[in-house]
């Protein structure tokens, strides 16, 4: 990635990262709108959620949102050396595969991430910012998809 892309990612993340729960909820709300079949994959203590709102308000799912936002934060922090996260991200991919997430769903997650950034950044979400985030997310997905190797 070029230096201007790196700076766009860091600058936009600084604006979003101060409210991870709020912005993560926007991301997952969009994800459940685009791919409602993902909702049943989220079960805690055998509890099946009846609606996205039910899921998004549960303490266990709020913890999941915090974890996802921490992973994004780690990717931003290590954007110049994502290879340092390769093994961790591949392991995360394996965990997602084990609970039934399809590799194709990461495309919808990417759309939801961009949606969240656009909603939270408003006019500061420029085409260049979108391209930079798409580049970063693509690299993260490539690393996580190693968790599907051997299918």
């Amino acid at each position: 990635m070029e230096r201007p892309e790196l700076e766009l990612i860091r600058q936009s993340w600084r604006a979003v990262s101060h409210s991870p729960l709020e912005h993560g909820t926007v991301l997952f709300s969009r994800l459940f709108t685009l791919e409602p079949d993902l909702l049943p994959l989220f079960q805690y203590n055998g509890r099946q959620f009846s609606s996205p709102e039910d899921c998004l308000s549960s303490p266990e799912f709020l913890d999941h949102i915090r974890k996802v936002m921490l992973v994004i934060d780690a990717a931003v922090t290590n954007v110049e050396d994502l290879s340092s996260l390769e093994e961790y991200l591949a392991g995360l991919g394996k965990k997602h595969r084990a609970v039934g997430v399809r590799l194709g769903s990461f495309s919808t997650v990417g759309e939801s991430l961009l949606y969240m950034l656009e909603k939270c950044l408003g006019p500061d979400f420029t085409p260049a910012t979108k391209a930079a985030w798409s580049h970063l997310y693509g690299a993260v997905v490539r690393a996580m998809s190693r968790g599907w190797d051997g299918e």
Side-chain angles (χ1 to χ4, degrees):
M1 248 185 266
E2 301 293 321
R3 182 141 314 272
E5 278 186 308
L6 298 173
E7 193 48 43
L8 282 171
I9 289 168
R10 287 187 182 113
Q11 182 181 25
S12 56
W13 186 246
R14 275 192 299 273
V16 171
S17 64
H18 67 279
S19 298
L21 206 49
E22 174 189 346
H23 300 310
T25 300
V26 171
L27 187 158
F28 277 97
S29 295
R30 181 67 172 174
L31 180 63
F32 292 143
T33 298
L34 295 175
E35 201 167 330
D37 291 347
L38 291 175
L39 184 63
L41 298 180
F42 294 97
Q43 297 180 29
Y44 300 98
N45 303 319
R47 178 176 175 223
Q48 183 76 46
F49 295 107
S50 59
S51 69
E53 297 75 24
D54 187 28
C55 182
L56 290 165
S57 64
S58 81
E60 298 89 354
F61 193 77
L62 294 176
D63 283 342
H64 181 75
I65 290 173
R66 285 183 191 94
K67 290 175 187 174
V68 168
M69 297 303 275
L70 284 172
V71 170
I72 297 170
D73 189 69
V76 171
T77 300
N78 294 285
V79 69
E80 292 183 79
D81 183 25
L82 280 178
S83 63
S84 66
L85 298 176
E86 285 273 332
E87 291 306 311
Y88 172 75
L89 292 171
L92 200 53
K94 270 188 179 147
K95 287 180 183 178
H96 281 77
R97 178 182 170 200
V99 298
V101 175
R102 292 177 299 106
L103 192 52
S105 293
F106 283 106
S107 173
T108 312
V109 174
E111 288 178 49
S112 301
L113 172 65
L114 294 174
Y115 175 86
M116 177 270 291
L117 289 165
E118 181 179 10
K119 291 297 169 199
C120 298
L121 295 171
D124 291 335
F125 188 70
T126 64
T129 304
K130 181 178 182 177
W133 275 96
S134 294
H135 192 160
L136 173 60
Y137 184 72
V140 168
V141 170
R142 280 189 296 282
M144 287 182 72
S145 69
R146 287 183 42 227
W148 273 260
D149 289 350
E151 269 192 295

Coordinates of all heavy atoms in Angstrom, one line a residue, residues 30-77:
R30 N -26.0 -3.6 9.5 CA -25.9 -3.7 8.0 C -25.7 -5.1 7.6 O -26.3 -5.6 6.6 CB -24.9 -2.8 7.5 CG -24.7 -2.7 6.0 CD -26.0 -2.1 5.4 NE -25.8 -2.0 4.0 CZ -26.7 -1.6 3.1 NH1 -27.9 -1.3 3.6 NH2 -26.5 -1.4 1.9
L31 N -24.8 -5.8 8.2 CA -24.5 -7.2 7.9 C -25.8 -8.1 8.0 O -26.1 -8.9 7.0 CB -23.4 -7.8 8.8 CG -23.0 -9.2 8.5 CD1 -22.4 -9.4 7.2 CD2 -22.0 -9.7 9.6
F32 N -26.5 -8.0 9.0 CA -27.8 -8.8 9.2 C -28.8 -8.3 8.2 O -29.7 -9.2 7.8 CB -28.3 -8.7 10.6 CG -27.4 -9.4 11.6 CD1 -27.2 -8.8 12.9 CD2 -26.7 -10.5 11.3 CE1 -26.4 -9.5 13.8 CE2 -25.9 -11.2 12.3 CZ -25.8 -10.6 13.5
T33 N -28.8 -7.1 7.8 CA -29.8 -6.7 6.7 C -29.4 -7.3 5.4 O -30.3 -7.8 4.7 CB -29.7 -5.1 6.6 OG1 -30.2 -4.6 7.8 CG2 -30.6 -4.6 5.5
L34 N -28.1 -7.3 5.1 CA -27.7 -7.8 3.8 C -27.7 -9.4 3.7 O -27.9 -9.9 2.7 CB -26.2 -7.3 3.5 CG -26.1 -5.8 3.2 CD1 -24.6 -5.5 3.1 CD2 -26.9 -5.4 2.0
E35 N -27.4 -10.0 4.9 CA -27.2 -11.4 4.9 C -27.9 -12.0 6.2 O -27.2 -12.4 7.1 CB -25.8 -11.9 4.8 CG -25.6 -13.3 4.3 CD -24.2 -13.6 3.9 OE1 -23.5 -12.8 3.4 OE2 -23.9 -14.8 4.0
P36 N -29.2 -12.0 6.2 CA -29.9 -12.4 7.4 C -29.6 -13.9 7.8 O -29.8 -14.2 9.0 CB -31.4 -12.2 7.1 CG -31.5 -11.9 5.7 CD -30.1 -11.6 5.2
D37 N -29.2 -14.7 6.9 CA -28.9 -16.1 7.2 C -27.7 -16.2 8.2 O -27.5 -17.3 8.7 CB -28.5 -16.9 5.9 CG -29.7 -17.1 5.0 OD1 -30.9 -16.8 5.5 OD2 -29.6 -17.4 3.9
L38 N -27.0 -15.1 8.4 CA -25.9 -15.2 9.4 C -26.4 -15.1 10.8 O -25.7 -15.6 11.7 CB -24.9 -14.0 9.1 CG -24.1 -14.1 7.8 CD1 -23.2 -12.9 7.7 CD2 -23.2 -15.4 7.9
L39 N -27.5 -14.6 11.1 CA -28.0 -14.4 12.4 C -28.0 -15.8 13.2 O -27.6 -15.8 14.4 CB -29.4 -13.8 12.4 CG -30.0 -13.5 13.8 CD1 -29.2 -12.5 14.5 CD2 -31.5 -13.0 13.6
P40 N -28.5 -16.9 12.6 CA -28.5 -18.1 13.4 C -27.1 -18.6 13.8 O -27.0 -19.5 14.7 CB -29.2 -19.1 12.5 CG -30.0 -18.3 11.5 CD -29.2 -17.0 11.4
L41 N -26.1 -18.1 13.2 CA -24.7 -18.6 13.6 C -24.3 -18.0 14.9 O -23.4 -18.5 15.5 CB -23.7 -18.1 12.5 CG -23.9 -18.7 11.1 CD1 -22.8 -18.2 10.2 CD2 -24.0 -20.2 11.1
F42 N -25.0 -17.0 15.4 CA -24.7 -16.4 16.7 C -25.6 -16.9 17.7 O -26.8 -16.6 17.8 CB -24.8 -14.9 16.6 CG -23.8 -14.2 15.7 CD1 -24.1 -13.9 14.3 CD2 -22.5 -14.0 16.1 CE1 -23.2 -13.4 13.5 CE2 -21.5 -13.5 15.2 CZ -21.9 -13.2 13.9
Q43 N -25.0 -17.9 18.5 CA -25.8 -18.5 19.6 C -24.9 -18.4 20.8 O -23.7 -18.8 20.7 CB -26.2 -19.9 19.3 CG -27.1 -20.1 18.1 CD -27.4 -21.5 17.9 OE1 -27.4 -22.3 18.8 NE2 -27.7 -21.8 16.6
Y44 N -25.4 -18.1 21.9 CA -24.7 -18.0 23.2 C -25.5 -18.8 24.2 O -26.7 -18.5 24.4 CB -24.5 -16.5 23.6 CG -23.7 -15.8 22.6 CD1 -24.3 -14.9 21.7 CD2 -22.3 -15.9 22.5 CE1 -23.6 -14.2 20.7 CE2 -21.6 -15.2 21.5 CZ -22.2 -14.4 20.6 OH -21.5 -13.7 19.7
N45 N -24.8 -19.7 24.9 CA -25.4 -20.6 25.9 C -26.7 -21.2 25.3 O -27.7 -21.3 26.0 CB -25.8 -19.8 27.2 CG -24.5 -19.1 27.8 OD1 -23.5 -19.7 27.8 ND2 -24.7 -17.9 28.2
G46 N -26.6 -21.7 24.1 CA -27.7 -22.3 23.4 C -28.9 -21.4 23.1 O -29.9 -21.9 22.6
R47 N -28.7 -20.2 23.3 CA -29.8 -19.2 23.0 C -29.8 -18.8 21.5 O -28.8 -18.3 21.0 CB -29.7 -18.0 23.9 CG -30.7 -16.9 23.6 CD -30.6 -15.8 24.6 NE -31.6 -14.8 24.2 CZ -31.3 -13.5 24.2 NH1 -30.1 -13.1 24.6 NH2 -32.2 -12.6 23.9
Q48 N -30.9 -19.0 20.8 CA -31.1 -18.6 19.4 C -31.8 -17.2 19.5 O -32.8 -17.0 20.1 CB -32.0 -19.6 18.7 CG -32.2 -19.3 17.2 CD -31.0 -19.6 16.4 OE1 -30.4 -20.7 16.6 NE2 -30.5 -18.7 15.5
F49 N -31.2 -16.3 18.7 CA -31.8 -14.9 18.7 C -33.0 -14.9 17.7 O -32.9 -15.4 16.6 CB -30.8 -13.9 18.3 CG -29.7 -13.8 19.3 CD1 -28.4 -14.3 19.1 CD2 -29.9 -13.2 20.6 CE1 -27.4 -14.2 20.0 CE2 -28.9 -13.1 21.5 CZ -27.7 -13.6 21.3
S50 N -34.0 -14.2 18.1 CA -35.3 -14.1 17.3 C -35.2 -13.0 16.3 O -36.0 -13.0 15.3 CB -36.5 -14.0 18.2 OG -36.3 -12.8 19.0
S51 N -34.3 -12.1 16.5 CA -34.2 -10.9 15.5 C -32.8 -10.3 15.6 O -32.1 -10.5 16.6 CB -35.3 -9.9 15.9 OG -34.9 -9.3 17.1
P52 N -32.4 -9.6 14.6 CA -31.2 -8.9 14.7 C -31.1 -7.9 15.9 O -30.1 -7.9 16.6 CB -31.1 -8.1 13.4 CG -31.9 -8.9 12.4 CD -33.0 -9.4 13.3
E53 N -32.2 -7.3 16.2 CA -32.2 -6.4 17.4 C -32.0 -7.1 18.7 O -31.3 -6.6 19.6 CB -33.6 -5.6 17.4 CG -33.9 -4.7 16.2 CD -34.3 -5.5 15.0 OE1 -34.8 -6.6 15.1 OE2 -34.1 -4.9 13.9
D54 N -32.6 -8.3 18.8 CA -32.3 -9.2 20.0 C -30.9 -9.5 20.1 O -30.3 -9.4 21.2 CB -33.2 -10.4 19.8 CG -33.2 -11.3 21.0 OD1 -33.0 -10.8 22.2 OD2 -33.4 -12.5 20.9
C55 N -30.3 -9.9 19.0 CA -28.9 -10.2 19.0 C -28.0 -9.0 19.3 O -27.1 -9.1 20.2 CB -28.5 -10.8 17.6 SG -26.8 -11.3 17.4
L56 N -28.3 -7.9 18.6 CA -27.4 -6.7 18.8 C -27.5 -6.1 20.2 O -26.7 -5.3 20.6 CB -27.8 -5.7 17.8 CG -27.5 -6.0 16.3 CD1 -28.2 -5.1 15.4 CD2 -26.0 -5.9 16.1
S57 N -28.5 -6.5 21.0 CA -28.6 -6.0 22.3 C -28.1 -6.9 23.4 O -28.1 -6.6 24.6 CB -30.1 -5.6 22.6 OG -30.9 -6.7 22.6
S58 N -27.7 -8.1 23.0 CA -27.3 -9.1 24.0 C -25.8 -8.8 24.5 O -25.0 -8.4 23.6 CB -27.3 -10.5 23.5 OG -26.2 -10.8 22.7
P59 N -25.5 -8.9 25.7 CA -24.2 -8.7 26.2 C -23.1 -9.5 25.6 O -22.0 -9.0 25.3 CB -24.3 -9.0 27.7 CG -25.7 -8.9 28.1 CD -26.5 -9.3 26.8
E60 N -23.5 -10.8 25.3 CA -22.5 -11.7 24.6 C -22.1 -11.2 23.2 O -21.0 -11.2 22.8 CB -23.0 -13.1 24.5 CG -23.3 -13.7 25.9 CD -24.7 -13.5 26.4 OE1 -25.5 -12.7 25.8 OE2 -25.1 -14.0 27.4
F61 N -23.2 -10.7 22.5 CA -22.9 -10.2 21.1 C -22.2 -8.9 21.2 O -21.3 -8.6 20.3 CB -24.2 -10.1 20.3 CG -23.9 -9.9 18.9 CD1 -23.4 -11.0 18.1 CD2 -24.0 -8.6 18.3 CE1 -23.1 -10.8 16.7 CE2 -23.6 -8.4 17.0 CZ -23.2 -9.5 16.2
L62 N -22.4 -8.1 22.2 CA -21.7 -6.8 22.3 C -20.2 -7.1 22.5 O -19.4 -6.4 22.0 CB -22.3 -6.0 23.4 CG -23.7 -5.5 23.2 CD1 -24.2 -4.7 24.4 CD2 -23.8 -4.6 21.9
D63 N -19.9 -8.2 23.2 CA -18.5 -8.6 23.4 C -17.9 -9.0 22.0 O -16.8 -8.7 21.7 CB -18.4 -9.8 24.4 CG -18.5 -9.3 25.8 OD1 -18.3 -8.1 26.1 OD2 -18.8 -10.2 26.7
H64 N -18.7 -9.7 21.2 CA -18.3 -10.1 19.9 C -18.0 -8.8 19.0 O -16.9 -8.7 18.4 CB -19.3 -10.9 19.2 CG -18.9 -11.4 17.8 ND1 -17.9 -12.4 17.6 CD2 -19.2 -10.9 16.6 CE1 -17.7 -12.5 16.3 NE2 -18.5 -11.7 15.7
I65 N -18.8 -7.8 19.1 CA -18.6 -6.6 18.4 C -17.3 -5.9 18.8 O -16.5 -5.5 18.0 CB -19.8 -5.6 18.6 CG1 -21.0 -6.1 17.9 CG2 -19.4 -4.2 18.1 CD1 -22.3 -5.3 18.1
R66 N -17.0 -5.9 20.2 CA -15.8 -5.3 20.7 C -14.6 -6.1 20.1 O -13.6 -5.5 19.7 CB -15.8 -5.4 22.2 CG -16.6 -4.3 22.9 CD -16.5 -4.4 24.4 NE -17.5 -3.6 25.0 CZ -18.7 -4.1 25.4 NH1 -19.0 -5.3 25.3 NH2 -19.6 -3.3 26.0
K67 N -14.7 -7.4 20.0 CA -13.6 -8.2 19.5 C -13.3 -7.9 18.0 O -12.2 -7.8 17.6 CB -13.8 -9.7 19.7 CG -13.8 -10.1 21.2 CD -14.2 -11.6 21.4 CE -14.3 -11.9 22.8 NZ -14.8 -13.3 23.0
V68 N -14.4 -7.8 17.3 CA -14.3 -7.5 15.8 C -13.6 -6.1 15.7 O -12.7 -6.0 14.8 CB -15.6 -7.6 15.1 CG1 -15.5 -7.0 13.7 CG2 -16.2 -9.0 15.1
M69 N -14.0 -5.2 16.4 CA -13.4 -3.9 16.3 C -11.9 -3.9 16.8 O -11.1 -3.1 16.2 CB -14.2 -2.8 17.1 CG -15.7 -2.7 16.6 SD -15.8 -2.2 14.9 CE -15.6 -0.4 15.1
L70 N -11.6 -4.7 17.7 CA -10.2 -4.9 18.1 C -9.3 -5.5 17.0 O -8.2 -5.1 16.8 CB -10.0 -5.7 19.4 CG -10.4 -5.0 20.7 CD1 -10.4 -6.0 21.8 CD2 -9.4 -3.9 20.9
V71 N -9.9 -6.4 16.2 CA -9.2 -7.0 15.1 C -9.0 -6.0 14.0 O -7.9 -5.9 13.4 CB -10.0 -8.2 14.5 CG1 -9.4 -8.7 13.2 CG2 -10.0 -9.4 15.5
I72 N -10.0 -5.2 13.8 CA -9.8 -4.1 12.8 C -8.8 -3.1 13.3 O -7.9 -2.7 12.5 CB -11.2 -3.3 12.5 CG1 -12.2 -4.3 11.9 CG2 -10.9 -2.1 11.6 CD1 -13.6 -3.7 11.9
D73 N -8.8 -2.8 14.6 CA -7.8 -1.9 15.1 C -6.4 -2.5 15.0 O -5.4 -1.8 14.6 CB -8.1 -1.7 16.6 CG -7.2 -0.6 17.2 OD1 -7.4 0.6 16.8 OD2 -6.3 -0.9 18.0
A74 N -6.2 -3.8 15.2 CA -4.9 -4.5 15.0 C -4.5 -4.4 13.5 O -3.3 -4.2 13.3 CB -5.0 -5.9 15.5
A75 N -5.4 -4.6 12.6 CA -5.1 -4.5 11.2 C -4.6 -3.1 10.9 O -3.6 -2.9 10.1 CB -6.3 -4.9 10.3
V76 N -5.3 -2.1 11.4 CA -4.9 -0.7 11.1 C -3.5 -0.4 11.8 O -2.7 0.2 11.1 CB -6.0 0.3 11.7 CG1 -5.5 1.8 11.6 CG2 -7.3 0.2 10.9
T77 N -3.3 -0.9 13.0 CA -2.1 -0.6 13.7 C -0.9 -1.3 12.9 O 0.2 -0.7 12.9 CB -2.1 -1.2 15.1 OG1 -3.2 -0.5 15.8 CG2 -0.8 -1.1 15.8

